[in-house]
């Protein structure tokens, strides 16, 4: 339940709660990392409002009135929560603080009105370590505004790329926020394909969805995969958007490698032996950072291979739910279904006009995505609240998982038929952040055993 936060200019040093909250013995109010001693009282006249005197609101650095959640501990009344969204690439413009990504973040931050609490955007340079404050970007009815607020209750990592994430400064700062300040961070890292495969392969419920995958590629590995599966993909373990992927085929004792060149054109090279193919791959890529994966004959739409992007998010109860599904149809002569290589996005209604067939596929994709989400959660040492899966359906109807993304791209939402799913996928991270905040405040031992 959320409450309307009101600021009282007349009284002092007091927080007044509805009697239904059953506060007892608390002697302080908290907002983010800031705790202020004050008088806590209850009023039967209040039902859905919390009243904070202006001196306490000022000392807590509450930026404006809003709908808030109230969490009680033995010592304090926590209002908020205060959710920080960590990113990079800030500009000097308050109208577009993160350039072209400002629109997406504005849409995300606007969800706080539905979810309750305060959400803001920040980078590591906006942290005032000496005073425990952040000069964050809020998106209000007036547009973007900056307010100095305490360190957040939870952090949602939306760093734009692996290069920044791997920067030593970012790693040190996020580690400090978690360990020294006890602030949980979710989706803290980009996924590595081999690490994800290794973790899921250890889980019996995930194993049926996994194509054969191997790291440390040698010419023998290439030969074995093509002897057994005829076709395979070589992918960068830390890649995204289909960049650097090669499609390998063995037919008539000839080894074929298809790839996109620097101009985006699909090229084909032929080799007489696996050794020669491996040398070609090795000359163009650091294979110790690649994986080789069994190719699966996918269902086709108009003769073109098709797979599915399935988003899953944790909701306000911390439970996984499927938030979006779209079909991705490969472009002509393309080796992947990515839009940047000519792929197109369709809704399930468009590719399965038959309701019964659509429901069958939908049910299988839902079950696979939720199972894989839980398996990743159970085998992860970090908090995950959002995953974008690339799932395939083969000609026998079996579901396969090709990739899992901790920061899924949003290009599928350009399709007008996915507008509701687009809104759902920006609302749920904040809903999960509220759940995570409540857990961090009232049951910290559940997060930090």
């Amino acid at each position: 339940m959320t409450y309307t936060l009101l600021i009282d200019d007349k009284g002092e040093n007091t927080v007044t709660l509805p009697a239904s909250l059953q506060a007892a013995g608390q002697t302080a109010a908290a907002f983010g990392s800031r705790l202020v001693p004050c008088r806590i009282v209850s009023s039967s006249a209040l039902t859905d409002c919390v009243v904070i005197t202006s001196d306490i609101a000022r000392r807590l650095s509450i930026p404006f009135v809003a709908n808030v959640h109230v969490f009680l501990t033995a010592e304090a009344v926590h209002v908020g929560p205060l959710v920080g969204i960590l990113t990079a690439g800030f500009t000097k413009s308050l109208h577009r603080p993160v350039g072209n990504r400002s629109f997406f973040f504005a849409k995300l931050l606007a969800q706080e009105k539905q979810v309750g609490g305060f959400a803001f955007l920040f980078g590591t340079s906006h942290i005032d370590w000496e005073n425990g404050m952040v000069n964050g970007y809020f998106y209000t009815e007036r547009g973007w505004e900056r307010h100095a607020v305490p360190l957040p209750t939870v952090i949602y990592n939306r760093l734009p790329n692996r290069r920044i994430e791997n920067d030593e400064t970012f790693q040190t700062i996020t580690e400090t926020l978690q360990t020294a300040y006890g602030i949980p961070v979710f989706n803290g890292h980009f996924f590595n394909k081999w690490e994800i495969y290794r973790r899921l392969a250890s889980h019996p419920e995930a194993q049926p969805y996994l194509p054969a995958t191997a790291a440390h590629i040698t010419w023998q590995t290439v030969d074995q995969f093509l002897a057994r599966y005829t076709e395979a993909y070589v992918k960068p373990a830390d890649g995204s958007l289909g960049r650097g992927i090669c499609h390998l085929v063995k037919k008539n004792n000839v080894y074929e490698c298809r790839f996109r060149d620097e101009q985006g054109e699909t090229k084909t090279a032929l080799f007489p032996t696996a050794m020669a193919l491996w040398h070609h791959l090795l000359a163009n890529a650091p294979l110790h950072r690649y994986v080789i994966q069994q190719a699966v004959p996918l269902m086709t739409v108009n003769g073109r291979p098709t797979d599915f992007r399935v988003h899953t998010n944790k909701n306000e109860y911390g439970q996984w739910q499927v938030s979006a599904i779209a079909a991705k149809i490969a472009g002509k002569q393309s080796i992947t279904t990515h839009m940047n290589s000519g792929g197109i996005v369709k809704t399930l209604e468009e590719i399965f006009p038959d309701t019964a067939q659509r429901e069958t596929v939908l049910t299988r994709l839902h079950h696979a995505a939720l199972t894989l989400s839980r398996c990743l959660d159970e085998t992860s040492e970090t908090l995950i609240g959002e995953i974008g899966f690339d799932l395939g359906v083969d000609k026998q109807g079996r579901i396969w998982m090709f990739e899992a993304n901790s920061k899924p791209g949003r290009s599928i939402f350009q399709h007008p038929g996915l507008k509701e799913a687009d809104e759902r996928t920006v609302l749920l991270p904040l809903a999960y952040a509220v759940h995570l905040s409540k857990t961090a405040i009232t049951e910290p031992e559940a997060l930090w055993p």
Side-chain angles (χ1 to χ4, degrees):
M1 178 176 179
T2 60
Y3 300 85
T4 302
L5 176 65
L6 301 176
I7 307 295
D8 175 15
D9 291 326
K10 298 177 182 175
E12 61 179 22
N13 200 41
T14 304
V15 173
T16 308
L17 303 175
S20 58
L21 278 171
Q22 299 182 332
Q26 288 86 358
T27 57
F31 181 56
S33 62
R34 181 152 292 186
L35 189 75
V36 172
C38 64
R39 192 166 67 102
I40 307 294
V41 299
S42 296
S43 169
S44 58
L46 298 181
T47 54
D48 55 0
C49 297
V50 172
V51 182
I52 296 181
T53 54
S54 56
D55 58 328
I56 297 300
R58 189 166 53 251
R59 290 165 64 192
L60 287 173
S61 297
I62 293 174
F64 41 77
V65 295
N67 290 330
V68 297
H69 295 262
V70 177
F71 306 130
L72 302 179
T73 63
E75 299 80 20
V77 172
H78 296 253
V79 296
L82 187 56
V83 179
I85 299 171
L86 175 65
T87 192
F90 286 88
T91 70
K92 294 181 180 177
S93 167
L94 188 57
H95 298 293
R96 300 177 70 188
V98 282
N100 293 334
R101 294 181 299 135
S102 302
F103 177 72
F104 164 70
F105 282 117
K107 191 162 57 174
L108 195 160
L109 293 175
Q111 302 305 317
E112 72 177 21
K113 291 184 178 58
Q114 290 193 57
V115 172
F118 298 84
F120 66 95
L121 199 63
F122 76 107
T124 55
S125 63
H126 304 133
I127 303 174
D128 174 359
W129 293 103
E130 186 174 344
N131 295 301
M133 299 288 286
V134 187
N135 192 9
Y137 290 80
F138 291 76
Y139 189 74
T140 73
E141 294 172 350
R142 299 174 293 275
W144 288 98
E145 294 179 354
R146 296 197 73 174
H147 296 279
V149 292
L151 294 174
T153 319
V154 302
I155 293 173
Y156 174 31
N157 181 334
R158 287 295 308 190
L159 291 178
N161 57 56
R162 296 171 193 269
R163 180 182 56 78
I164 294 172
E165 183 177 286
N166 292 331
D167 181 88
E168 190 174 341
T169 303
F170 270 98
Q171 291 192 1
T172 301
I173 288 174
T174 52
E175 182 73 13
T176 300
L177 288 167
Q178 290 183 87
T179 56
Y181 293 87
I183 301 172
V185 178
F186 67 98
N187 284 59
H189 303 283
F190 281 89
F191 288 161
N192 172 281
K193 292 181 180 63
W194 176 240
E195 179 63 19
I196 292 299
Y197 174 82
R198 198 180 59 78
R199 280 163 39 190
L200 289 176
S202 70
H203 202 297
E205 291 185 47
Q207 289 168 2
Y209 299 108
L210 302 180
T213 304
H216 313 295
I217 304 169
T218 64
W219 74 266
Q220 291 97 333
T221 317
V222 172
D223 208 23
Q224 289 163 5
F225 265 71
L226 293 183
R228 185 164 185 178
Y229 305 112
T230 307
E231 299 183 32
Y233 287 96
V234 170
K235 306 177 176 182
D238 287 322
S240 57
L241 300 175
R243 297 189 187 101
I245 292 180
C246 295
H247 178 222
L248 312 183
V249 182
K250 182 182 179 183
K251 52 188 176 185
N252 302 323
N253 288 322
V254 173
Y255 295 80
E256 178 184 290
C257 175
R258 297 173 65 224
F259 57 97
R260 292 181 69 199
D261 66 11
E262 293 180 354
Q263 286 70 45
E265 298 290 327
T266 300
K267 301 291 184 183
T268 301
L270 302 177
F271 304 91
T273 65
M275 177 73 85
L277 169 56
W278 180 72
H279 276 295
H280 167 78
L281 294 171
L282 191 63
N284 293 285
L287 288 185
H288 64 285
R289 291 163 56 184
Y290 277 59
V291 297
I292 185 168
Q293 190 174 79
Q294 163 196 359
V296 174
L298 293 172
M299 62 166 281
T300 58
V301 173
N302 298 326
R304 297 185 183 183
T306 300
D307 64 13
F308 299 87
R309 168 53 59 94
V310 184
H311 280 243
T312 60
N313 288 82
K314 280 183 183 167
N315 60 19
E316 64 270 33
Y317 307 107
Q319 298 169 341
W320 287 105
Q321 71 174 70
V322 173
S323 46
I325 297 183
K328 299 184 298 171
I329 303 170
K332 189 177 181 182
Q333 301 299 320
S334 175
I335 60 176
T336 72
T337 60
H338 293 89
M339 291 180 73
N340 64 350
S341 58
I344 58 173
V345 173
K346 295 281 188 183
T347 64
L348 264 66
E349 287 78 6
E350 288 174 310
I351 65 168
F352 296 116
D354 180 84
T355 304
Q357 186 186 16
R358 182 169 69 245
E359 288 301 320
T360 298
V361 174
L362 197 59
T363 300
R364 288 176 178 167
L365 290 172
H366 267 251
H367 180 73
L370 293 177
T371 300
L372 289 163
S373 298
R374 286 192 295 269
C375 292
L376 269 178
D377 228 3
E378 290 173 18
T379 56
S380 176
E381 296 177 352
T382 59
L383 295 165
I384 308 171
E386 174 183 31
I387 305 172
F389 290 102
D390 288 332
L391 302 180
V393 180
D394 67 18
K395 293 174 181 175
Q396 287 72 46
R398 180 176 171 182
I399 307 292
W400 298 84
M401 191 212 82
F402 304 125
E403 291 188 20
N405 305 278
S406 65
K407 299 189 173 45
R410 304 196 61 83
S411 56
I412 63 168
F413 297 115
Q414 294 174 21
H415 191 295
L418 294 168
K419 186 172 184 298
E420 286 185 16
D422 181 21
E423 293 173 354
R424 198 159 46 240
T425 54
V426 294
L427 182 144
L428 285 170
L430 292 190
Y432 172 59
V434 171
H435 168 81
L436 196 55
S437 297
K438 181 180 180 182
T439 306
I441 291 168
T442 62
E443 304 174 81
E445 65 280 0
L447 293 178
W448 316 106

